[in-house]
Amino acid sequence: MSDATEKPVIANFIRNIIDEDNASGKWGGRVATRFPPEPNGYLHYGHAKSIFLNFGLARDYAGECHMRFDDTNPEKEEQEYVDAILESVRWLGFDWGQHLYYASDYFDQLYAFAESLIEQGLAYVDSQSAEEMRANRGTHLEPGRNSPWRERTAAENLDLFRRMKAGEFADGEHVLRAKIDMASPNFNLRDPVIYRIRHAEHHRTGNRWCIYPLYDYTHCISDALEHITHSVCTLEFEDHRPLYDWVLDKLMPKIGWHSQQIEFARLNLTYVVLSKRKLIQLVEAGAVDGWDDPRLPTLVGARRRGFTPEGFRLFTDRIGVSKADSWIDMSVLEECMREDLNLAAERRIAVLDPVRLIIDNFPADGQETCLAPNHPLKPELGKREIAFGRELWIEREDYMETPAKGFFRLYPGNRVRLRYAFVIECTGAELDSEGRLLAVHANYLPDTKSGTPGSDSVKVKGNIHWLPVHGSLAAEVRLYDRLFAVAHPGTDHDFMLDINPDSRRIIEARLESGLADAAPESRFQFERHGYFVADRRDHHPDRPVYNRTVGLKDTWQKSG
RNA sequence: AGGGGAGUCGCCAAGUGGUAAGGCAUCGGAUUUUGAUUCCGACAUUCGCAGGUUCGAUCCCUGCCUCCCCUGCCA
């Protein structure tokens, strides 16, 4: 990704392990990681952390990161998810090159290894029902009980397993279990199931198989077959590691590679939910418009919201990697997006809550052309013209009939600068019988035009944006806010009750005319408001639609 | 209760026997035609608690406390 902004790398425990391995020559200097999602849903912000970690490690150590789908559960997985996941990883800026893999590509090998485990007496076909197995698994206090089928001969097991594969049995009739230790304090070692019967169509292998391997058996072998060095996963797999190692130890003579599993703390973010189950619930309940709703913490949603890959990179660098459970506040992510967008986005003017401003001493047929820089930090991006006239749109909130303490914008008698134009002096306002603002009146000071000599001889504190009534355009603007109203949704009740009722406001705003022709996904800062993006799906030149990505910091409203 | 992990500033997070990096936030101040940005300054005598070892402990030892994960034929 960006190399110009390269910062010194901060140490973390995973890098330390890699450094030690490189120093000892454990992997011969090789670094191979992998990002292994199951294609049963869309990627979310938490996956971004894992993607930047894994692909970032490969980049920094001149290694490789494999893109691999953990597709061993045919009933939940679909090609649609594979496509969306690949697109999101690409969007974040990563390229897996030739290294695209599917666990399902290893089904033949996985099966052969299972037969070998059986032959070695390390796996057996269990014919207990799921309920019996559960009852015999034991508890934290009591060891499990051996299955009555645990001592079947290798020949018998092999015959049964082959018939399972051949489709002679119904779902659930038999399973293949690793023969480890029913008394282990680690439940994962109490003879874990490694194959189950599923007469289901797989999105890639179709109906070729009716038995499918389970995660614990598949993942470690996939890693080893690909010669992964550091297999990075989240903390909840920590007590699966003994099983990961058991399988690879037993298969060492056949595979000759034993990857190292390393666990880190997954991302916890406030004001949002990141569990697949809850995301599905939000979509199915219609609380959001779909998987790419800009409020949803999915990567497709982030993209539509206007979040940037670079912003996610800043974010993952900023939060670091460790094994401590932690909660990151949503404001950290938002600030990272601002940081990137401040540099990346050109400025434009938008009046979100328009009210008329009439310059009474400006001729009705008068005309002035004002120049506005496209980016204050990048003068090379040039300027654009905005037509100044007698009637303008300004923000309703930029006027106060009776100003609050510290308010330095428009109120009777006060002077402000119309940004990139003239200084004006407010003469009053028209209000209806309910006190609602209809129009603001002012006189302009002709010698104060921005960019002309002596323009700043008149000093003012306030500086507000405006748009001409004739020559600006009406557009739909979607003001997105946090999906949940509380930091920790569902703490002691249904999380759906914590949805922020104001997470989206759709308004009719006035925009600079040039904004109609911007390509979908073009990002801008609407001055004094925040960052906005032309909606990826709904924005058209004849019907502009902009989404608010994130607002600018506002220390006035915060303290006021 | 058994097993596996974690506890360093408001939020993250380095460090690990030699006297607490950094980032974010916050608070001052400067600049500013975005109440934005930028810039400058401040910000842990202290590393969950209590003992012990040591010339010296956040780091080693002992005990305790708190939090997270684990009984899918999910991943």
Side-chain angles (χ1 to χ4, degrees):
Chain A
M1 299 198 61
S2 96
D3 16 30
T5 58
E6 215 65 76
K7 289 180 186 169
V9 178
I10 317 121
N12 64 47
F13 76 101
I14 298 178
R15 286 175 179 276
N16 292 346
I17 291 172
I18 294 176
D19 290 340
E20 285 161 20
D21 289 349
N22 282 167
S24 72
K26 179 176 178 184
W27 306 105
R30 179 187 158 82
V31 174
T33 57
R34 96 270 91 108
F35 174 61
E38 180 187 13
N40 70 342
Y42 287 78
L43 261 26
H44 56 65
Y45 296 177
H47 291 110
K49 179 179 181 182
S50 175
I51 290 167
F52 276 95
L53 212 207
N54 281 296
F55 279 94
L57 250 17
R59 177 196 58 208
D60 296 346
Y61 285 92
E64 57 197 48
C65 180
H66 297 188
M67 180 70 218
R68 181 170 76 224
F69 287 96
D70 245 328
D71 54 351
T72 57
N73 189 346
E75 291 167 323
K76 292 187 177 176
E77 296 148 5
E78 294 172 26
Q79 187 60 38
E80 174 201 340
Y81 296 127
V82 169
D83 298 338
I85 288 169
L86 254 17
E87 189 186 357
S88 286
V89 176
R90 235 182 263 117
W91 177 69
L92 284 179
F94 294 104
D95 179 6
W96 46 86
Q98 297 305 301
H99 301 294
L100 172 61
Y101 305 96
Y102 295 83
S104 53
D105 285 344
Y106 307 134
F107 281 172
D108 286 309
Q109 290 168 87
L110 258 2
Y111 176 82
F113 292 142
E115 286 206 349
S116 114
L117 288 180
I118 291 172
E119 285 162 358
Q120 294 176 70
L122 295 170
Y124 63 97
V125 172
D126 194 351
S127 307
Q128 295 181 101
S129 67
E131 296 69 40
E132 289 169 323
M133 273 184 60
R134 193 180 316 120
N136 288 331
R137 189 148 26 229
T139 67
H140 295 298
L141 304 175
E142 300 162 12
R145 282 182 296 277
N146 285 171
S147 164
W149 312 104
R150 199 171 194 264
E151 301 308 328
R152 287 212 252 233
T153 63
E156 192 181 352
N157 283 319
L158 214 44
D159 172 62
L160 247 15
F161 188 47
R162 285 174 179 164
R163 287 166 59 200
M164 281 168 62
K165 179 185 183 231
E168 290 187 26
F169 306 110
D171 289 6
E173 259 187 81
H174 308 281
V175 293
L176 184 69
R177 288 230 251 178
K179 193 171 183 178
I180 307 180
D181 178 9
M182 287 305 291
S184 172
N186 183 340
F187 284 86
N188 296 300
L189 299 180
R190 316 247 265 222
D191 288 9
V193 173
I194 58 177
Y195 263 94
R196 81 288 221 183
I197 300 171
R198 270 302 109 88
H199 290 273
E201 186 172 326
H202 186 278
H203 70 106
R204 299 192 79 242
T205 60
N207 293 307
R208 207 151 66 75
W209 295 86
C210 64
I211 57 173
Y212 293 91
L214 276 89
Y215 168 85
D216 284 310
Y217 175 72
T218 307
H219 199 87
C220 53
I221 293 176
S222 304
D223 283 342
L225 289 173
E226 292 173 22
H227 290 192
I228 295 299
T229 54
H230 306 271
S231 179
V232 180
C233 62
T234 45
L235 250 28
E236 66 270 28
F237 290 103
E238 216 152 13
D239 39 1
H240 289 239
R241 191 177 352 122
L243 177 51
Y244 183 104
D245 290 333
W246 183 91
V247 173
L248 291 189
D249 281 346
K250 300 308 179 198
L251 262 12
M252 192 61 180
K254 294 203 168 286
I255 304 177
W257 191 272
H258 190 143
S259 314
Q260 178 183 5
Q261 174 177 303
I262 301 170
E263 313 83 12
F264 73 100
R266 69 187 318 143
L267 172 67
N268 291 305
L269 245 200
T270 59
Y271 294 98
V272 73
V273 292
L274 291 179
S275 90
K276 217 169 255 184
R277 197 202 101 234
K278 288 176 178 171
L279 293 177
I280 288 171
Q281 203 177 325
L282 285 164
V283 172
E284 290 184 345
V288 293
D289 284 343
W291 286 103
D292 67 346
D293 186 297
R295 293 166 292 182
L296 220 52
T298 52
L299 294 182
V300 284
R303 179 171 181 175
R304 229 180 140 191
R305 174 74 169 256
F307 282 6
T308 66
E310 177 62 14
F312 275 109
R313 190 190 72 90
L314 286 169
F315 178 68
T316 53
D317 283 353
R318 193 161 291 179
I319 63 177
V321 179
S322 76
K323 298 190 70 157
D325 289 307
S326 63
W327 280 87
I328 307 296
D329 196 83
M330 181 58 86
S331 64
V332 176
L333 212 211
E334 293 169 343
E335 184 53 27
C336 288
M337 295 305 159
R338 288 191 193 99
E339 190 170 320
D340 177 37
L341 260 6
N342 179 44
L343 257 31
E346 286 199 11
R347 314 284 115 129
R348 292 293 185 273
I349 304 296
V351 178
L352 301 185
D353 189 6
V355 67
R356 253 167 229 269
L357 169 68
I358 295 147
I359 312 293
D360 292 299
N361 67 340
F362 194 86
D365 57 350
Q367 180 126 352
E368 282 282 351
T369 300
C370 297
L371 254 29
N374 288 322
H375 197 125
L377 273 17
K378 300 176 182 174
E380 69 275 17
L381 257 25
K383 300 181 176 187
R384 62 196 190 283
E385 298 181 348
I386 303 177
F388 183 87
R390 188 171 197 268
E391 292 196 15
L392 308 173
W393 292 117
I394 60 169
E395 263 348 300
R396 185 174 296 275
E397 63 174 22
D398 282 339
Y399 177 84
M400 286 185 98
E401 183 73 8
T402 50
K405 188 170 183 295
F407 183 80
F408 52 67
R409 280 113 88 174
L410 247 21
Y411 55 86
N414 196 39
R415 288 177 173 179
V416 301
R417 174 172 293 281
L418 291 179
R419 199 161 166 72
Y420 309 130
F422 300 91
V423 171
I424 59 169
E425 180 167 317
C426 181
T427 54
E430 298 170 34
L431 306 175
D432 67 13
S433 56
E434 268 129 42
R436 187 174 160 77
L437 188 61
L438 297 176
V440 178
H441 286 266
N443 286 323
Y444 83 116
L445 281 57
D447 295 336
T448 60
K449 187 175 179 189
S450 295
T452 63
S455 65
D456 47 7
S457 58
V458 177
K459 299 290 184 192
V460 293
K461 191 140 190 238
N463 194 314
I464 67 172
H465 63 276
W466 55 277
L467 240 25
V469 165
H470 303 291
S472 58
L473 91 203
E476 177 175 327
V477 171
R478 300 168 181 168
L479 300 176
Y480 290 105
D481 204 342
R482 295 170 178 179
L483 219 207
F484 289 92
V486 301
H488 301 281
T491 298
D492 44 23
H493 51 263
D494 183 0
F495 77 100
M496 298 289 279
L497 298 174
D498 288 324
I499 291 177
N500 174 10
D502 260 338
S503 61
R504 181 181 66 188
R505 262 171 56 221
I506 298 178
I507 61 170
E508 194 70 10
R510 304 295 304 190
L511 306 184
E512 258 181 62
S513 51
L515 253 10
D517 299 320
E521 290 198 89
S522 300
R523 299 185 246 259
F524 299 97
Q525 181 197 98
F526 288 173
E527 294 199 30
R528 299 214 299 135
H529 282 303
Y531 298 96
F532 290 74
V533 64
D535 190 85
R536 209 182 151 194
R537 305 218 306 218
D538 301 335
H539 174 81
H540 296 291
D542 53 340
R543 182 51 186 164
V545 177
Y546 280 85
N547 300 331
R548 178 168 67 193
T549 304
V550 61
L552 250 27
K553 267 192 233 170
D554 187 351
T555 52
W556 159 249
Q557 283 189 357
K558 216 181 272 178
S559 58

